[in-house]
């Protein structure tokens, strides 16, 4: 069956010292959690100090973004090869903040997914609609097109390394969460689409996380849904206590 993943996206928070303290607080709190995979996704600057702390722990390391080239004249960018070298197991690709504020296109995201997989890193590929798109009844068109464009040209083998994260943009950092039923409907839609693009076998094995104001108070209801396989947690992952409560949903 599908093994859930609870991943904490720290966004642009925490100095290296703060990151180390958070991980030192977190690891003892989650050390007995064997029911799911766990990951923290610090900013680039903290990856190399957090990596040795996570070695031999039950918590994996992820990065928040990467370029699609191995190296080159791309000032300010970080390559997937560099992330692999640091021991990153995951990288978020297409987070709505990257799509919205940094204008990352579907074409770029598609290249990034392929590049991350090539370097042995599992992409956490984020998809989700804006509030006005949901209200205009465009959920399926928008999310469907993000999935199709992001996965264009990826083989079934490549797809098997991808983790999907459905994150309705109106629920990210706003305190508004999709109800478990709304999230379930969206996840079911995505899983159906994967079955059309690949096969039911692949769709049934695909991990689809929910993200958007996940907290210790709402994780249980979300995880009770049959198509929700974990969570991508922003704000509530910054505090070790609150993230550990989510891990122990
Ligand atoms: C996120 O950063 O992916 C996220 C879902 O943030 P938050 O949990 O703060 O809404």
């Amino acid at each position: 069956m599908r093994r859930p993943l609870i991943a904490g996206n720290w966004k642009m928070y925490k100095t290296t010292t703060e990151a180390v303290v958070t991980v030192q607080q977190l690891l003892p709190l989650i050390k007995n959690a064997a029911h799911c995979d766990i990951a923290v996704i610090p900013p680039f600057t903290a990856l190399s100090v957090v990596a040795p702390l996570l070695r031999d722990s039950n918590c994996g390391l992820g990065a928040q973004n990467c370029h699609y080239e191995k190296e080159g004249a791309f000032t300010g960018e970080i390559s997937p090869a560099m992330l692999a070298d640091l021991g990153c197991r995951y990288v978020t690709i297409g987070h709505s903040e990257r799509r919205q504020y940094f204008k990352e296109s579907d074409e770029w995201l598609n290249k990034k997914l392929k590049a991350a997989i090539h370097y042995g890193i599992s992409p956490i590929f984020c998809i989700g609609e804006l509030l006005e798109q949901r209200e205009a009844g465009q959920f399926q068109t928008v999310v469907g097109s993000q999935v199709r464009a992001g996965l264009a040209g990826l083989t079934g083998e490549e797809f098997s390394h991808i983790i999907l994260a459905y994150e309705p943009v109106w629920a990210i950092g706003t305190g508004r969460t999709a109800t478990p039923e709304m999230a379930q409907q969206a996840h079911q839609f995505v899983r159906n689409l994967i079955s059309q693009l690949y096969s039911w076998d692949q769709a049934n094995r695909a991990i689809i996380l929910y993200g958007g104001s996940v907290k210790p108070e709402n994780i249980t209801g979300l995880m009770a849904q049959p198509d929700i396989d974990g969570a991508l947690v922003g704000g509530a992952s910054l505090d070790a206590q609150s993230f550990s409560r989510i891990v122990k949903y």
Side-chain angles (χ1 to χ4, degrees), residues 8-153:
N9 169 22
W10 291 359
K11 310 197 187 206
M12 196 173 73
Y13 291 99
K14 296 191 189 292
T15 62
T16 52
T17 310
E18 290 165 346
V20 166
V21 170
T22 306
V23 169
Q24 285 170 339
Q25 291 170 340
L26 178 67
L27 291 181
L29 295 173
I30 59 168
K31 71 173 191 304
N32 294 326
H35 59 288
C36 66
D37 287 334
I38 307 164
V40 290
I41 308 179
F44 288 133
T45 46
L47 290 174
S48 63
V49 293
V50 165
L53 301 177
L54 298 184
R55 209 164 290 141
D56 303 323
S57 83
N58 59 343
C59 183
L61 182 65
Q64 297 177 19
N65 184 25
C66 69
H67 198 272
Y68 49 81
E69 293 288 354
K70 177 183 174 221
E71 58 189 10
F74 298 104
T75 302
E77 291 291 316
I78 302 287
S79 84
M82 294 167 179
L83 298 181
D85 176 55
L86 284 175
C88 285
R89 205 181 296 167
Y90 307 97
V91 60
T92 51
I93 299 289
H95 191 282
S96 63
E97 288 151 17
R98 301 295 316 171
R99 292 179 190 261
Q100 202 172 351
Y101 305 135
F102 301 94
K103 309 292 171 220
E104 295 201 3
S105 66
D106 287 328
E107 193 191 342
W108 269 42
L109 301 179
N110 177 252
K111 288 183 176 176
K112 288 180 180 208
L113 290 174
K114 288 180 184 160
I117 294 164
H118 179 78
Y119 286 98
I121 304 172
S122 289
I124 300 178
F125 178 41
C126 305
I127 49 178
E129 80 287 2
L130 301 170
L131 182 59
E132 55 266 35
Q133 292 168 331
R134 175 163 279 264
E135 286 177 346
Q138 294 167 345
F139 160 77
Q140 294 198 355
T141 316
V142 171
V143 171
S145 126
Q146 289 173 340
V147 171
R148 285 176 195 279
L151 301 182

Side-chain angles (χ1 to χ4, degrees), residues 157-174:
E157 203 287 318
E158 286 171 318
F159 174 74
S160 69
H161 299 279
I162 292 184
I163 294 158
L164 292 152
Y166 170 64
E167 301 205 299
V169 181
W170 46 271
I172 297 182
T174 59

